[in-house]
Amino acid sequence: RLQTVAFSVDTVITSQREGSWMKLWQDEQKGLFIARGRVEAGINLSELSPEMVQVTQAADQVNSDVAQGQGVEAHAPVSIMPQINITLPPSEIFSVYLDDIEIYDWQTGAFGLMQVDPKILVQAQSMAKAEVLERACQGDVMNIALKNAQDQLQQLFALTGAVVTVTTQGAGACQLPSRTA
């Protein structure tokens, strides 16, 4: 995997548990949280196939006399430059992390006498991860990951002295990949 972007997001999350009629709705709990998270995205290089990477020899003929304006058709030595054409697979989300979640406010019942329900925090964490991913998608994380991958591979293979062309198959879906066993 070539991770090309880590997109950071700060968001506010609310989570609550409704009160029950048996306790006259005095057991309702609400939490207000500030979540900091990040989405990591890039290109899965294991999806590259031999058809997606083409290396050819391109003859670069330089006519020094014509270039100098003499109009004589004398050819300079032919230099062979490798041509590398790479087609990248679609970008994908690698992971969504919650780096921190702070409790801003937590109300436990009408008089604050109820014991804190840990399910509220679990619900907030789940909602925060979904919100971090949604905000990253709105921030165009998939196209940023694709563009960064294209630039990085272009620069890497340009160090070989070859003529490099990097194309893409487009940005992938902005969602966590489904895990299969």
Side-chain angles (χ1 to χ4, degrees):
R1 298 189 320 179
L2 175 62
Q3 179 185 322
T4 58
V5 66
F7 198 97
S8 295
V9 175
D10 290 354
T11 187
V12 175
I13 301 295
T14 59
S15 180
Q16 71 179 33
R17 184 191 75 191
E18 298 294 328
S20 66
W21 69 271
M22 295 183 330
K23 295 184 181 179
L24 301 174
W25 293 275
Q26 300 300 308
D27 58 338
E28 178 183 44
Q29 292 194 23
K30 295 179 184 178
L32 183 64
F33 305 90
I34 299 172
R36 289 176 185 80
R38 63 190 148 88
V39 173
E40 295 176 347
I43 303 295
N44 189 346
L45 295 175
S46 67
E47 293 180 8
L48 282 174
S49 64
E51 299 81 33
M52 297 169 84
V53 180
Q54 302 289 322
V55 179
T56 58
Q57 298 295 328
D60 181 20
Q61 296 185 354
V62 178
N63 187 333
S64 62
D65 290 335
V66 172
Q68 294 173 2
Q70 297 177 1
V72 178
E73 300 248 352
H75 294 285
V78 175
S79 64
I80 304 294
M81 303 234 356
Q83 172 78 32
I84 302 173
N85 297 316
I86 303 170
T87 302
L88 296 178
S91 55
E92 64 182 68
I93 300 289
F94 293 143
S95 55
V96 178
Y97 294 104
L98 277 184
D99 296 325
D100 187 24
I101 188 163
E102 296 177 21
I103 300 170
Y104 184 77
D105 185 30
W106 198 319
Q107 298 174 2
T108 57
F111 302 108
L113 301 175
M114 298 299 297
Q115 196 170 25
V116 171
D117 185 357
K119 292 177 186 173
I120 301 287
L121 182 58
V122 171
Q123 180 187 33
Q125 289 171 331
S126 175
M127 292 170 60
K129 273 188 160 183
E131 181 70 18
V132 165
L133 179 59
E134 183 180 330
R135 293 274 180 97
C137 292
Q138 290 172 355
D140 208 21
V141 69
M142 299 305 286
N143 286 320
I144 293 169
L146 191 62
K147 177 73 172 115
N148 288 350
Q150 191 174 10
D151 292 345
Q152 289 175 12
L153 286 176
Q154 180 87 30
Q155 292 171 3
L156 176 67
F157 285 102
L159 293 174
T160 66
V163 177
V164 181
T165 305
V166 180
T167 58
T168 67
Q169 293 180 349
C174 195
Q175 63 188 21
L176 276 172
S178 59
R179 303 285 182 216
T180 55

